[in-house]
Amino acid sequence: MSNKNSYSFFLKSTALLFSGVVLLSLTSCKSTINTKDQVQSWLTKGDESVKLQQQLPLVFVNTSNNFQNIEIDDTQKFQYVDGFGYTLTGGSVEVINRLSSTKRKALLNELFGKDENSISISYLRLSIGASDLDGEVFSYDDLPQGQTDPTLSKFSLARDKDLIAMLKEILAINPKIKIIAAPWSPPVWMKDNGKSVGGSLKPEFYDAYAKYFVKYIQGMQKEGIIIDAVTPQNEPLHPGNNPSLLMVSDQQRDFIKQSLGPIFKSNNIKTKIVVYDHNCNKPEYAINILNDGEANQYIDGSAFHLYEGDISALSTVHNAHPNKNLYFTEQWTGAKGTFNEDLNWHTKNVVIGSMRNWSKIALEWNLANDTEFKPHTPGGCTECKGAITVSDKENFTRNIGYYIIAHASKFVPANSQRISSTQTDNLSTVAFKTPEGKTVLIVQNYSKTDENFNIKYNNKTAPVNITASSVATYIF
């Protein structure tokens, strides 16, 4: 056999070896080999034949090949990561509580624990009052029509008692989990239309609404729940949801600099204020607020969703205000989506894309719902698919949203730092250095064919084959 043919045979054999790796399941693998020359890997295929399953270890070798390279450079450091997770809606709590105590406990440990079969969610989003994925609309200060309560004497977190109870269980599993919270609407008596849908916050109630946030944060703290950050309004340019509020950029700017910021300061509230919390098509919304010196002093950063626009909008804001943080707070998977399409699009944009554009978090939307995509408010989302579907008291299903987040949350703990990783035409990547010194590389193959590549790190090379339309996480 000629040298040329020998080399060709070597490449084909290598590809076959790695594409034919024996799969070890997430739940059954009891130990992993962990040496300096080996790479642990976990795989999910778009065809659903493999879901977050551990593969045989890969090996750094001295031989060369003509594969494309993914080069990792840990001397180039970027943002620290706060975590990966979901929104724990009131509806999520309701359906998880339908499980038997044994199944419920096992699910919470799987979601938030650090066992080998856990996905180690490290960040949650909450609604302040009801979101559209609660069974009904409510605020913490609801009154008969025509009444007002500017002193908030009727304020109560009682409607969130089940949510608070579950958060305490979650904190017992992961005491360091971080939380961001957002209102879908103020109490309707603060609004100019007096309704849960649409309308705007009346300026005369700016101070009362700022104190509403203070009461929420203090009330949760009394329950042992620390709210790390808030946004003044979920999707402020989408007033058609139930509940919802229209809050244009100038209104949010004025609310922060006139009321929310100063009242947080006077009450010694350390919770971060994060602006916008809406789509990537309007980075100017956040920039406009951050450009205001009075408002800027109170603001930690801005938050984004990706139902419109491009994920690069986060870098647009970062470039305009590099001292402010970025947060990716919501993206839903829908009833009509496919596993393959959602796995690849969300991993490419929500996980890899947000991280490569300076986000500190990547959150999918709701954690759980039932088989009919309930509960939701009248007029709320009827097709939002939870990461978990609870079908009855003994059964739940892990959906695509579970695997999208798990490929990051299981391996990239809070306080990891993004480091440099190159990309190719078909392979999207993001890399991290964990607090324990591990290197984690997430790779998404968007093409319809298998791809061979090398992980290149510190003059070492590990040849890899990743199947078509798949996502893999590599740890070394």
Side-chain angles (χ1 to χ4, degrees), residues 224-239:
I225 299 162
I226 303 301
I227 305 300
D228 186 67
V230 294
T231 64
Q233 175 59 35
N234 169 70
E235 298 192 341
L237 300 179
H238 176 32

Side-chain angles (χ1 to χ4, degrees), residues 353-460:
S354 73
M355 291 291 122
R356 290 187 74 94
N357 286 279
W358 297 95
S359 185
K360 293 178 71 66
I361 65 173
L363 307 182
E364 287 282 315
W365 176 211
N366 56 314
L367 180 58
N369 51 19
D370 67 18
T371 56
E372 296 181 331
F373 308 104
K374 294 179 179 178
H376 57 76
T377 63
C381 182
T382 60
E383 295 183 359
C384 290
K385 181 189 291 186
I388 300 293
T389 297
V390 176
S391 49
D392 57 52
K393 68 178 184 178
E394 295 299 327
N395 294 286
F396 61 84
T397 305
R398 299 166 189 84
N399 299 320
I400 180 55
Y402 175 98
Y403 298 101
I404 293 164
I405 291 299
H407 264 280
S409 62
K410 184 174 177 65
F411 311 105
V412 185
N415 300 316
S416 297
Q417 187 173 22
R418 180 169 70 90
I419 57 176
S420 174
S421 62
T422 59
Q423 306 194 98
T424 72
D425 290 343
N426 292 324
L427 302 178
S428 297
T429 78
V430 65
F432 305 91
K433 186 69 74 172
T434 72
E436 295 76 29
K438 296 278 191 183
T439 301
V440 179
L441 172 68
I442 301 172
V443 179
Q444 179 260 334
N445 179 8
Y446 216 71
S447 71
K448 293 181 171 61
T449 58
D450 293 4
E451 293 277 334
N452 295 319
F453 69 95
N454 295 310
I455 300 174
K456 294 201 73 174
Y457 174 69
N458 282 355
N459 298 314
K460 299 187 296 183

Side-chain angles (χ1 to χ4, degrees), residues 155-303:
F155 183 95
S156 172
L157 293 177
R159 296 292 295 271
D160 268 349
K161 67 180 187 301
D162 291 340
L163 173 77
I164 289 168
M166 186 170 287
L167 283 169
K168 289 179 179 180
E169 290 182 80
I170 291 168
L171 283 164
I173 298 168
N174 179 5
K176 295 182 179 180
I177 198 164
K178 285 190 173 181
I179 296 169
I180 190 169
W184 267 236
S185 173
V188 297
W189 54 265
M190 295 186 184
K191 301 171 74 172
D192 58 12
N193 69 350
K195 299 177 181 178
S196 62
V197 178
S200 292
L201 179 66
K202 291 182 176 181
E204 60 261 38
F205 290 123
Y206 277 12
D207 281 0
Y209 196 34
K211 291 171 184 175
Y212 181 91
F213 279 83
V214 170
K215 279 186 169 289
Y216 170 74
I217 292 164
Q218 292 176 336
M220 294 296 268
Q221 187 169 3
K222 286 178 183 176
E223 300 287 351
I225 299 162
I226 303 301
I227 305 300
D228 186 67
V230 294
T231 64
Q233 175 59 35
N234 169 70
E235 298 192 341
L237 300 179
H238 176 32
N241 201 0
N242 187 21
S244 61
L245 177 81
L246 176 66
M247 181 182 271
V248 299
S249 182
D250 286 355
Q251 291 172 325
Q252 189 164 122
R253 177 199 65 203
D254 293 346
F255 172 58
I256 290 169
K257 73 179 182 180
Q258 294 172 15
S259 299
L260 190 64
I263 287 172
F264 269 26
K265 186 175 182 180
S266 65
N267 284 274
N268 199 31
I269 298 294
K270 303 302 183 186
T271 301
K272 304 176 183 81
I273 297 172
V274 177
V275 301
Y276 190 39
D277 210 1
H278 207 170
N279 285 329
C280 287
N281 63 330
K282 299 285 186 184
E284 64 272 18
Y285 186 113
I287 292 171
N288 173 57
I289 300 172
L290 293 169
N291 283 346
D292 186 281
E294 284 186 75
N296 183 291
Q297 64 181 314
Y298 300 115
I299 295 166
D300 174 82
S302 52

Side-chain angles (χ1 to χ4, degrees), residues 25-181:
S25 76
L26 170 64
T27 55
S28 65
C29 181
K30 299 302 182 184
S31 63
T32 57
I33 303 168
N34 184 15
T35 73
K36 63 180 181 179
D37 291 325
Q38 293 186 327
V39 181
Q40 308 303 318
S41 64
W42 300 72
L43 180 68
T44 297
K45 295 184 180 182
D47 65 8
E48 300 190 66
S49 63
V50 174
K51 295 179 178 178
L52 196 65
Q53 288 184 347
Q54 190 171 11
Q55 312 299 289
L56 289 178
L58 305 168
V59 182
F60 283 106
V61 297
N62 295 321
T63 55
S64 61
N65 58 52
N66 66 352
F67 294 175
Q68 59 198 331
N69 294 321
I70 301 298
E71 298 192 36
I72 298 172
D73 181 359
D74 58 12
T75 67
Q76 294 187 54
K77 303 177 187 298
F78 304 95
Q79 80 275 19
Y80 283 93
V81 174
D82 281 348
F84 301 88
Y86 306 91
T87 300
L88 183 67
T89 61
S92 297
V93 172
E94 181 181 326
V95 299
I96 291 172
N97 281 340
R98 294 175 190 169
L99 291 167
S100 68
S101 62
T102 301
K103 285 287 184 180
R104 185 178 172 282
K105 182 179 179 180
L107 176 59
L108 291 179
N109 276 296
E110 179 181 333
L111 294 173
F112 300 101
K114 295 192 181 300
D115 299 336
E116 66 179 28
N117 67 334
S118 298
I119 64 169
S120 305
I121 294 166
S122 51
Y123 207 101
L124 284 174
R125 185 172 181 236
L126 306 178
S127 62
I128 299 175
S131 76
D132 61 307
L133 293 190
D134 278 85
E136 55 187 1
V137 175
F138 67 89
S139 79
Y140 303 127
D141 199 334
D142 289 329
L143 303 171
Q145 189 172 0
Q147 295 185 21
T148 63
D149 181 24
T151 64
L152 303 178
S153 62
K154 305 290 177 60
F155 183 95
S156 172
L157 293 177
R159 296 292 295 271
D160 268 349
K161 67 180 187 301
D162 291 340
L163 173 77
I164 289 168
M166 186 170 287
L167 283 169
K168 289 179 179 180
E169 290 182 80
I170 291 168
L171 283 164
I173 298 168
N174 179 5
K176 295 182 179 180
I177 198 164
K178 285 190 173 181
I179 296 169
I180 190 169

